[in-house]
Amino acid sequence: MHGRSIREPFRWNPLRSIGTKIALIIVAAIIAFVAVTGVVSYQISKRALEREVTSAYLETALQTSQKLDFLYNSFNKLLLQMMVDKPMQNTVLEMLEQKDNPAEYTQLADTLDTILQSYMFSDTYITSIEVLQTDGTIVPTLSGLLASKNYSSEDWFKKIVESGGQSVWIDHNLDGNRNTNPTITLGRVISGEGVSTGYCVILIDIDLAAIKEQVENVHMGDGGAIQVISPQNQIIYSKASSQLGKKSGISLPPEGMSNPKYSFLTPDKSKQVVMAKSETNGWFTIGMIPVSEMLKDTKQIFQATLWVVGCAFILAILIGWLVARMIGKPLNSLRELMKQGADGNLQVRTNASSKDEIGQVGRSFDEMMLHLTDLVHHTGDSAAEMLAMASELSHVSLNTEETAKEIASATSDIAKGGEGLASDAEHGKLLAQRSKEQTATLVQTSREMKNLAEDVNGTSRMGTEYMDELIQKTGDMEERISSITGKVSKLQKSTESISEVLEILTQLMKQTNVLSLNATIEAARAGSYGKGFRVVADEIRALSEQAKRSVDAVGQITEAIQQDIEETALVLSDSSPIFIQQVSAVKNADMLFNQVGSQMGELMSHLALVNSSILDLEQSQLLLSDAMMGVSIVSDQSLATSEEVASLSNEQLGISTGLVHLSKKLQVLSGVLKDSLSRFKI
C-alpha cells in the first residue's frame, strides 16, 4: 500500500503550497492589525465626540435653566414688591374690615383692582392676579379669573399657607381658573410691616409663552427636543402642546435630581438626555438628543477606516505574492527532484548555490541522495545473502515443527491422566473434609447434650430438696392453722362471757338509776334537810348514766370483736381443705422429681457410651483425612508437572510454527527487497 501511494502522480494544490499559506498569513495579519487599529481609533473618537457633544448640550441646558431662573426671579421680585406696597396692604386690610359695608367695600375693591392692573401691565405675560383671604375665600377683583369659591381644601392653597411666607410655584392651570391659555402660577402669603402674620394670598398666573420665549431658540440637534418638567415628572412646557400636563416619557434618575446638571442615556440607548435643575423652583430643563444625530460626524471616520483597510488589503496581497514567489518557486523545483528520487532515480541533484535556508535544504538533499546510493549498493548484497539463509532456516524450522508436534501429543496424554487422578483425589479430599466437619459437629453436640443432662440432673436434685422442705413447712403450717382455729374458738367463748357480764352490769346500772331517782324524790320531800342527800343522789345518777354509756360502748366493741372472730373462724374452716389439697400436690410433685432424677441418671450413662463411640470415630476420621490429603498433594504435584511439560511443549510447537512462518516471510521479503532495489538507477 505504501509503495503504491509513492508511485501515484502528484497533484499540485495552490492552497496547500507553503508560499500560499505564508502569503495568506501575511495578508490576514496586516488586515487584522489595520482593522483593529481602525476600530479602536473609531471607538475612541466616537466616545470623545459623544462626551464633547454631551458636554456642549449639557451647558446649553444649564444656560437655558439659568435664563428661566432669571424669568422666575422677575416674577418673584414682583411678589416681593407687592409685599412692601403700603397702599395695597392698607386697601386689602380695610376691605377685610368693611365686609359688612357694601358701598365702602366696592370702593376699596376698585382701588385694589387699579393697583393690581398696574402690576399686570408691568409684564405682558401676567394673565391674571388673584387675591385670596388666608381662609381661602376669593377677594373679587377685575384682574382675577378664579371662580368665586373657597379654596382652603385645595392642596396648592395648603402648600402656600404652610410655606412660611416663601414663594410657591404651581406647574399647571388651577381648577376654576377661567384662563383658556396654559399657564403657571406663582403664589405667596403677603404680610406687611407691623403685621406678624399674612393678611392675604396673592396668585400670579403667568402665560406659558414666557417659558416658550426663553427656550424656543434652543436647539438640541436635528430630531432633538427640550422640555421643562416638575420633580413629579409632570411636563410643564414642551413644543408639542398635546404633552402639556402629562407624565414625561423620560424617567429622571434620583442621582440626577440631586445635581445641578446631569446627563444619561435612555434605557433603549437611542437618546442622550441632558438636564439642569432650577435654583428658584426646582423645575428641570431637559434636552433629548438622538444618539445617531450626535454621532453623525463619526461616519467620516468610519469611511476613512474602511479606505485604509482596503489599501492595506491590496498592499498585503502584493507583499504575499512576492513572498510566495521567493519561497514557493525554489520549493517547487526541489519537490520535482524529490518526486524523481521517489520514483527510483538516485542520480538527480539540485546543485543549489544560494546561502539561505532553501539552498541549505537543496545541498542536504544532494548529500542524502549520495548516501542513499551507497545504501542501495550494500542493501543489494545483503539481500542476496539473506535469501540464501532464509532457505536454510525454512528447512530446519520444518523439521523442528514435526518433532514438537509429536512431543506435544504425548505430553497432552500424560496431562489428561494426571488431571483425572487429581480430580478424583480432590473429590476424596472434599468428602473426607466434609465427614471430618460432620464428626466434629457430632462431638460438639454430644458434649452439649451431656452438659445439659448434668444441668437437668442437678436441677432435679435441687427440686427434690426444695419439695422436701416445702412438705415439712406445709405440715408446720397445717399444725399452726389447727392451733389458731382452737384459739379462735376459745376467744369466741370468752367474748360470749364478756357479753353476759355486760348484761349484768347493765341491769346493775338500771337499778342504781332507779335508786338515785327514789333518793331524789325522798330528798325533795325532806325539804331543806334533804339537800345534801339530793346532791349525792344526783351524783350517783350521773355516775350511773356515765357507766351505762361506757358499758354500751364496750358492748358495741365486744360485738364487733365477736363478729370478726366468727369471720376468722369461717375463713380458717374454708382454708383447711385447700391446705390439705396443697400438701397432696406437693407430695405428688416430689414423686415426679424423684422419677426425673432416676431417668436422668440412666440418660447420663447412655450419653457417656455415645460420647466414647464418637471420639473413636473422630480419631478414625482424622487418619482418613490425612491419607486423602497426602494423595491430593501427590496428584496436584503430578498434574502441575504434566501441565508444565505440556505448556513447554506447546510453547516449543508455537516457536517452531513461528520459525516456519518467519522463514517463509523472510523469503518473501528477500524477494520483494531484491525487486525494490532493481528499481533504483545507480
Side-chain angles (χ1 to χ4, degrees):
M1 186 70 182
H2 180 68
R4 187 164 60 251
S5 64
I6 292 176
R7 294 184 180 87
E8 290 180 355
F10 180 80
R11 294 182 179 86
W12 183 76
N13 188 349
L15 296 178
R16 294 182 179 179
S17 173
I18 188 172
T20 304
K21 293 180 180 178
I22 294 174
L24 291 176
I25 292 172
I26 293 174
V27 171
I30 293 175
I31 294 300
F33 178 75
V34 174
V36 171
T37 304
V39 171
V40 171
S41 302
Y42 171 73
Q43 292 294 333
I44 293 174
S45 60
K46 178 182 176 181
R47 292 174 183 172
L49 181 61
E50 186 177 357
R51 286 195 301 270
E52 293 298 327
V53 173
T54 302
S55 178
Y57 282 120
L58 190 60
E59 289 298 325
T60 301
L62 182 61
Q63 292 175 5
T64 304
S65 178
Q66 292 173 351
K67 289 171 62 178
L68 291 175
D69 280 344
F70 182 78
L71 175 67
Y72 303 147
N73 289 328
S74 65
F75 294 109
N76 201 15
K77 289 178 182 178
L78 186 62
L79 269 180
L80 293 175
Q81 186 178 350
M82 291 181 181
M83 184 180 292
V84 297
D85 191 337
K86 195 69 175 177
M88 179 178 172
Q89 176 184 356
N90 294 332
T91 301
V92 174
L93 292 175
E94 289 179 8
M95 287 181 68
L96 297 178
E97 294 175 356
Q98 299 296 331
K99 287 182 180 180
D100 299 331
N101 190 346
E104 186 67 24
Y105 187 84
T106 303
Q107 185 178 359
L108 290 172
D110 293 339
T111 303
L112 178 62
D113 190 62
T114 302
I115 296 172
L116 295 177
Q117 289 291 334
S118 65
Y119 283 112
M120 287 182 63
F121 293 147
S122 65
D123 196 314
T124 58
Y125 293 115
I126 299 177
T127 60
S128 62
I129 299 177
E130 316 289 347
V131 180
L132 294 86
Q133 298 181 28
T134 54
D135 61 355
T137 305
I138 286 287
V139 177
T141 61
L142 295 176
S143 60
L145 297 177
L146 275 178
S148 181
K149 66 175 185 178
N150 190 285
Y151 292 92
S152 60
S153 61
E154 299 290 337
D155 293 337
W156 56 265
F157 186 82
K158 294 178 181 178
K159 187 176 180 181
I160 293 173
V161 173
E162 295 171 357
S163 63
Q166 299 295 322
S167 298
V168 176
W169 289 87
I170 304 170
D171 56 9
H172 57 275
N173 286 41
L174 300 178
D175 294 335
N177 194 331
R178 296 187 298 274
N179 198 337
T180 57
N181 295 329
T183 60
I184 57 175
T185 303
L186 175 64
R188 187 169 187 169
V189 176
I190 303 299
S191 58
E193 296 180 3
V195 180
S196 58
T197 59
Y199 58 87
C200 69
V201 175
I202 299 294
L203 299 177
I204 299 178
D205 295 326
I206 305 165
D207 198 322
L208 205 61
I211 296 178
K212 179 180 179 182
E213 183 181 0
Q214 300 297 324
V215 301
E216 65 179 352
N217 295 324
V218 178
H219 296 285
M220 292 292 173
D222 295 338
I226 188 168
Q227 293 179 349
V228 178
I229 62 177
S230 66
Q232 292 75 30
N233 213 27
Q234 196 85 9
I235 297 178
I236 301 171
Y237 169 78
S238 175
K239 288 184 179 181
S241 58
S242 60
Q243 297 180 350
L244 297 179
K246 297 181 179 179
K247 287 287 184 179
S248 175
I250 304 298
S251 298
L252 302 181
E255 61 272 16
M257 297 179 67
S258 60
N259 291 325
K261 59 181 181 178
Y262 192 73
S263 63
F264 62 94
L265 284 172
T266 56
D268 58 358
K269 309 294 182 184
S270 63
K271 292 182 181 179
Q272 178 73 40
V273 181
V274 294
M275 55 184 289
K277 185 178 181 180
S278 172
E279 297 179 356
T280 302
N281 53 21
W283 293 351
F284 295 95
T285 303
I286 66 170
M288 296 168 286
I289 309 98
V291 176
S292 58
E293 175 66 20
M294 294 173 57
L295 303 177
K296 63 182 180 179
D297 294 335
T298 59
K299 293 181 180 179
Q300 298 177 357
I301 300 174
F302 184 72
Q303 292 174 356
T305 302
L306 292 179
W307 278 104
V308 171
V309 172
C311 295
F313 180 72
I314 296 173
L315 180 61
I317 290 177
L318 180 60
I319 294 174
W321 180 78
L322 292 175
V323 172
R325 184 170 179 80
M326 291 174 61
I327 298 175
K329 186 176 180 180
L331 289 178
N332 190 29
S333 300
L334 183 60
R335 177 182 58 78
E336 291 295 334
L337 293 175
M338 287 184 175
K339 183 175 178 298
Q340 295 178 15
D343 291 337
N345 187 6
L346 301 181
Q347 296 176 353
V348 294
R349 300 291 186 273
T350 61
N351 298 319
S353 60
S354 60
K355 303 297 184 182
D356 56 9
E357 286 80 359
I358 296 177
Q360 295 176 5
V361 171
R363 286 191 292 274
S364 299
F365 175 75
D366 293 343
E367 293 179 3
M368 182 187 68
M369 297 304 293
L370 181 61
H371 293 311
L372 189 58
T373 301
D374 295 338
L375 179 62
V376 169
H377 276 295
H378 294 299
T379 304
D381 297 338
S382 300
E385 295 177 0
M386 188 187 306
L387 185 59
M389 292 175 63
S391 299
E392 296 179 1
L393 180 61
S394 178
H395 179 69
V396 174
S397 298
L398 289 173
N399 295 332
T400 305
E401 184 181 11
E402 293 295 333
T403 305
K405 287 181 179 179
E406 296 176 358
I407 296 173
S409 177
T411 306
S412 178
D413 295 336
I414 296 172
K416 289 180 180 178
E419 185 177 357
L421 179 61
S423 177
D424 295 338
E426 186 67 24
H427 184 66
K429 178 182 176 182
L430 291 175
L431 292 176
Q433 184 68 28
R434 187 178 300 172
S435 177
K436 179 181 178 181
E437 292 175 356
Q438 293 176 353
T439 304
T441 304
L442 185 59
V443 171
Q444 182 65 28
T445 305
S446 175
R447 290 174 180 172
E448 292 177 357
M449 289 178 62
K450 182 179 179 182
N451 293 332
L452 290 174
E454 291 177 353
D455 293 339
V456 172
N457 193 16
T459 305
S460 176
R461 287 196 299 269
M462 292 176 63
T464 303
E465 294 175 358
Y466 290 153
M467 291 305 297
D468 293 338
E469 185 176 356
L470 181 60
I471 290 172
Q472 182 179 358
K473 290 181 178 180
T474 303
D476 295 339
M477 182 62 69
E478 185 177 6
E479 294 177 358
R480 291 180 182 179
I481 289 174
S482 299
S483 176
I484 291 171
T485 302
K487 290 181 180 180
V488 167
S489 298
K490 293 179 180 180
L491 184 61
Q492 188 174 9
K493 293 178 180 180
S494 299
T495 54
E496 291 176 355
S497 301
I498 293 171
S499 297
E500 294 175 356
V501 173
L502 289 176
E503 289 179 358
I504 296 171
L505 290 175
T506 302
Q507 294 297 327
L508 181 62
M509 293 302 105
K510 289 180 179 180
Q511 293 177 2
T512 303
N513 195 13
V514 171
L515 291 174
S516 64
L517 180 61
N518 294 329
T520 302
I521 293 171
E522 293 298 329
R525 290 178 181 177
S528 58
Y529 297 102
K531 289 182 179 180
F533 188 68
R534 186 175 57 186
V535 170
V536 173
D538 290 338
E539 290 295 331
I540 291 171
R541 188 174 62 251
L543 290 174
S544 175
E545 290 177 355
Q546 184 177 1
K548 183 180 179 181
R549 287 195 298 270
S550 299
V551 169
D552 291 338
V554 171
Q556 292 176 359
I557 293 171
T558 303
E559 289 178 358
I561 292 171
Q562 187 174 5
Q563 185 178 359
D564 292 338
I565 290 170
E566 290 176 354
E567 291 177 355
T568 302
L570 181 62
V571 170
L572 289 175
S573 62
D574 292 339
S575 300
S576 180
I578 296 173
F579 277 108
I580 294 171
Q581 293 176 1
Q582 182 178 0
V583 171
S584 176
V586 169
K587 290 180 179 179
N588 292 332
D590 183 54
M591 292 175 64
L592 290 175
F593 273 111
N594 290 327
Q595 292 177 3
V596 169
S598 61
Q599 290 174 358
M600 286 306 301
E602 294 178 0
L603 178 61
M604 288 291 295
S605 61
H606 289 299
L607 284 176
L609 294 175
V610 172
N611 193 20
S612 176
S613 301
I614 290 173
L615 290 176
D616 295 338
L617 179 60
E618 184 180 13
Q619 294 296 326
S620 301
Q621 190 64 41
L622 289 174
L623 295 176
L624 178 59
S625 179
D626 292 339
M628 292 305 297
M629 184 68 70
V631 173
S632 178
I633 292 172
V634 172
S635 63
D636 289 340
Q637 291 177 354
S638 176
L639 179 59
T641 305
S642 300
E643 289 178 350
E644 185 177 0
V645 173
S647 176
L648 293 174
S649 299
N650 290 329
E651 185 177 356
Q652 183 180 3
L653 180 59
I655 293 171
S656 300
T657 305
L659 285 175
V660 173
H661 289 300
L662 287 175
S663 62
K664 292 180 180 179
K665 189 175 181 180
L666 183 58
Q667 287 179 347
V668 174
L669 291 176
S670 299
V672 173
L673 179 60
K674 187 175 181 181
D675 294 337
S676 299
L677 292 175
S678 64
R679 295 174 53 248
F680 291 100
K681 299 176 183 179
I682 302 174

